[in-house]
Amino acid sequence: MAGVRYFESREAEGLGDLDQRSGTQPNLMVCPDKAASKIVSLDVSDYGMAFALGAIMMMIISGWVIRRLTTKRAISCSAWVIALGFLGVPFANDLPFLMFLSFVTGMAIGLTEVSMNAQASNLEIIHKRSMMSGFHAFFSLGLLSGS
């Protein structure tokens, strides 16, 4: 495998190719090559950055998406993507996949934010009264009570 070198974890014990006690291969540990880690250089803190980048990118193009899907379908689709994104976290085997999952979930959350505000604006027009501040207040109360 390119960029990954293997070494024997029992090399210091002088067991060679076969473990003399059990007759099996010794455990192999994977150590990322320094050159490969400099090329990719991912860190766990980048997980949050991928989430934020996905949300910001979707907020920029969400007007186009909402015009194609309507607010109802955009909210429904993005809610399913958020649920699947959070359910997929335990199955992420490596950091790049986790960051991809985070990016997609962030995009879905960005679409949900804009779609909910557009729907609230539609309700204000229908009912001819200000309701946006109440929606944002209850959104904050829901976050507080859920955490």
Side-chain angles (χ1 to χ4, degrees), residues 94-114:
D94 54 356
L95 189 59
F97 180 69
L98 184 65
M99 289 180 62
F100 171 75
L101 200 60
S102 176
F103 179 78
V104 171
T105 306
M107 288 181 72
I109 287 189
L111 181 60
T112 301
E113 293 276 340
V114 175

Side-chain angles (χ1 to χ4, degrees), residues 41-47 92-101:
S41 98
L42 296 175
D43 192 10
V44 176
S45 63
D46 296 332
Y47 172 74
N93 294 332
D94 54 356
L95 189 59
F97 180 69
L98 184 65
M99 289 180 62
F100 171 75
L101 200 60

Side-chain angles (χ1 to χ4, degrees), residues 62 65-66 70-75 78 110-120 122:
S62 61
V65 174
I66 292 169
T70 72
T71 56
K72 180 181 177 181
R73 276 195 241 143
I75 292 168
S78 62
L111 181 60
T112 301
E113 293 276 340
V114 175
S115 299
M116 292 284 209
N117 283 327
Q119 187 64 29
N122 290 342

Side-chain angles (χ1 to χ4, degrees), residues 1-14:
M1 188 185 299
V4 177
R5 85 189 131 95
Y6 295 93
F7 66 91
E8 296 179 17
S9 62
R10 298 184 188 179
E11 204 171 71
E13 296 176 359

Side-chain angles (χ1 to χ4, degrees), residues 22-143:
S22 64
T24 61
Q25 286 284 61
N27 293 334
L28 293 177
M29 296 175 62
V30 178
C31 179
D33 197 5
K34 289 184 182 188
S37 66
K38 286 181 182 178
I39 292 170
V40 178
S41 98
L42 296 175
D43 192 10
V44 176
S45 63
D46 296 332
Y47 172 74
M49 188 59 83
F51 189 85
L53 185 63
I56 290 169
M57 286 181 62
M58 181 51 83
M59 286 180 187
I60 293 170
I61 63 169
S62 61
W64 177 80
V65 174
I66 292 169
R67 279 192 295 276
R68 292 187 56 104
L69 293 177
T70 72
T71 56
K72 180 181 177 181
R73 276 195 241 143
I75 292 168
S76 178
C77 291
S78 62
W80 278 106
V81 172
I82 292 167
L84 293 174
F86 285 137
L87 287 174
V89 169
F91 301 105
N93 294 332
D94 54 356
L95 189 59
F97 180 69
L98 184 65
M99 289 180 62
F100 171 75
L101 200 60
S102 176
F103 179 78
V104 171
T105 306
M107 288 181 72
I109 287 189
L111 181 60
T112 301
E113 293 276 340
V114 175
S115 299
M116 292 284 209
N117 283 327
Q119 187 64 29
S121 179
N122 290 342
L123 287 173
E124 283 184 332
I125 292 169
I126 291 169
H127 293 287
K128 295 181 175 71
R129 62 186 181 125
S130 178
M131 296 192 292
M132 189 70 76
S133 60
F135 288 137
H136 283 99
F138 281 106
F139 179 79
S140 299
L141 286 174
L143 282 176

